[in-house]
């Protein structure tokens, strides 16, 4: 099977849209590999933070990338052999990821690694630029979104359910800041690919969203 004939399902969208959960379930159902590209940017942000590198210093952060080993194993993420699955999920690393991701040189340094996830029988890739830049030939392209208020509400409830403190207004503000940075950057901004299906999940639960993605994939196979 040549590399380009391996099917890719690209699922892009803003943070807290539920795309990660939906993409993972779709990958499991299809028996496909799964790429969480946000975790790569989060790992870079964490490594820069731990090494005292300013996230605004494009050259320094980009030089760091080839020296990092980022691996996904059994659902966990390893940065230079340390399990960073929990550490990269903080809001601080989400914002840090959004900052390092705005640098063209950092994005370029992560392209080959992202392409290496394209393996038989197929790949479900989730991020911001999967359909537009990394896998423009993806067989199915989904832009999964919901209003900032719906996304903030979901995140707020998730934190409360974990017994953590949460402030809805602060969460909403953080989401809006991150959306603005991800949408307005000059390189690979968050945007719906022209040939992507828009999936608005405001009124859908996870199972319904998964079914919609599976329907779109099936429709593309006809
Ligand atoms: O999906 P996430 O919240 O884990 O992503 C964290 C940040 O990484 C997000 O705010 C922007 C950046 N990112 C990106 O620029 N391109 C991607 N393909 C994935 C994430």
């Amino acid at each position: 099977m040549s590399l380009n004939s391996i099917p890719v399902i690209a699922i892009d969208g803003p943070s807290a849209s539920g795309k990660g959960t939906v993409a993972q379930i779709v990958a499991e159902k299809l028996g496909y590999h799964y790429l969480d590209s946000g975790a790569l940017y989060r790992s870079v942000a964490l490594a820069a933070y731990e090494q005292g590198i300013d996230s605004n210093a494009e050259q320094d952060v980009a030089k760091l990338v080839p020296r990092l080993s980022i691996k996904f194993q059994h659902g966990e993420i390893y940065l230079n052999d340390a399990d960073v699955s929990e550490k990269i999920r903080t809001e601080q690393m989400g914002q840090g990821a959004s900052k390092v991701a705005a640098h063209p040189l950092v994005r370029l340094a992560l392209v080959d690694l992202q392409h290496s996830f394209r393996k038989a029988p197929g790949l479900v890739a989730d991020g911001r630029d999967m359909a537009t830049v990394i896998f423009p030939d993806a067989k199915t392209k989904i832009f999964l979104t919901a209003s900032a208020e719906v996304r903030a509400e979901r995140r707020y409830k998730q934190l409360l359910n974990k017994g953590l403190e949460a402030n809805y207004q602060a969460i909403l503000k953080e989401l809006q800041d991150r959306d603005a940075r991800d949408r307005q950057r000059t390189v690979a901004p968050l945007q719906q690919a022209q040939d992507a299906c828009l999936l608005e999940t405001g009124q859908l639960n996870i199972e319904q969203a998964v079914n919609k993605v599976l329907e779109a994939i099936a429709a593309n196979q006809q």
Side-chain angles (χ1 to χ4, degrees):
M1 209 181 207
S2 81
L3 204 56
N4 285 350
S5 64
I6 297 173
V8 176
I9 317 296
I11 304 184
D12 292 302
S15 54
S17 57
K19 68 185 160 36
T21 311
V22 170
Q24 274 182 67
I25 297 174
V26 170
E28 265 167 40
K29 285 191 184 275
L30 297 175
Y32 279 14
H33 299 276
Y34 169 59
L35 167 62
D36 173 1
S37 61
L40 302 180
Y41 290 97
R42 286 171 180 267
S43 299
V44 171
L46 177 66
Y49 174 75
E50 289 184 338
Q51 298 191 26
I53 296 171
D54 181 354
S55 52
N56 296 312
E58 175 167 9
Q59 302 267 358
D60 295 345
V61 181
K63 265 191 239 153
L64 178 67
V65 177
R67 303 208 306 268
L68 302 177
S69 146
I70 307 172
K71 288 189 192 134
F72 295 80
Q73 266 164 11
H74 314 297
E76 311 295 340
I77 295 143
Y78 292 84
L79 172 62
N80 295 339
D81 297 327
D83 183 350
V84 294
S85 316
E86 296 278 318
K87 268 188 175 175
I88 61 166
R89 293 292 158 206
T90 63
E91 183 52 32
Q92 186 192 0
M93 286 310 139
Q95 296 286 351
S98 171
K99 286 182 191 160
V100 299
H103 301 313
L105 290 176
V106 173
R107 303 197 73 83
L108 190 63
L110 285 170
V111 169
D112 288 349
L113 178 58
Q114 293 175 87
H115 285 164
S116 72
F117 282 80
R118 189 173 195 167
K119 289 190 202 131
L123 173 70
V124 178
D126 117 46
R128 304 292 186 289
D129 62 341
M130 298 297 98
T132 50
V133 177
I134 303 296
F135 301 109
D137 64 335
K139 207 164 176 193
T140 302
K141 299 181 178 183
I142 309 282
F143 193 78
L144 197 148
T145 189
S147 72
E149 287 74 16
V150 166
R151 290 182 282 129
E153 178 80 27
R154 285 182 188 155
R155 180 154 287 176
Y156 174 71
K157 286 187 182 152
Q158 269 171 6
L159 291 172
L160 291 188
N161 284 340
K162 283 188 194 165
L164 299 170
E165 267 185 44
N167 175 323
Y168 172 79
Q169 287 303 334
I171 294 171
L172 179 62
K173 166 92 178 49
E174 281 163 358
L175 273 181
Q176 288 168 331
D177 287 351
R178 192 130 72 91
D179 279 0
R181 196 182 300 112
D182 294 346
R183 284 183 202 279
Q184 288 162 14
R185 66 178 177 227
T186 48
V187 60
L190 168 65
Q191 61 183 8
Q192 184 181 346
Q194 270 181 354
D195 49 351
C197 313
L198 178 64
L199 181 53
E200 164 62 60
T201 65
Q203 306 293 324
L204 304 179
N205 62 28
I206 295 288
E207 193 188 341
Q208 290 167 325
V210 166
N211 286 336
K212 292 269 181 204
V213 174
L214 292 173
E215 280 167 24
I217 296 168
N220 280 345
Q221 278 164 350
Q222 279 158 13

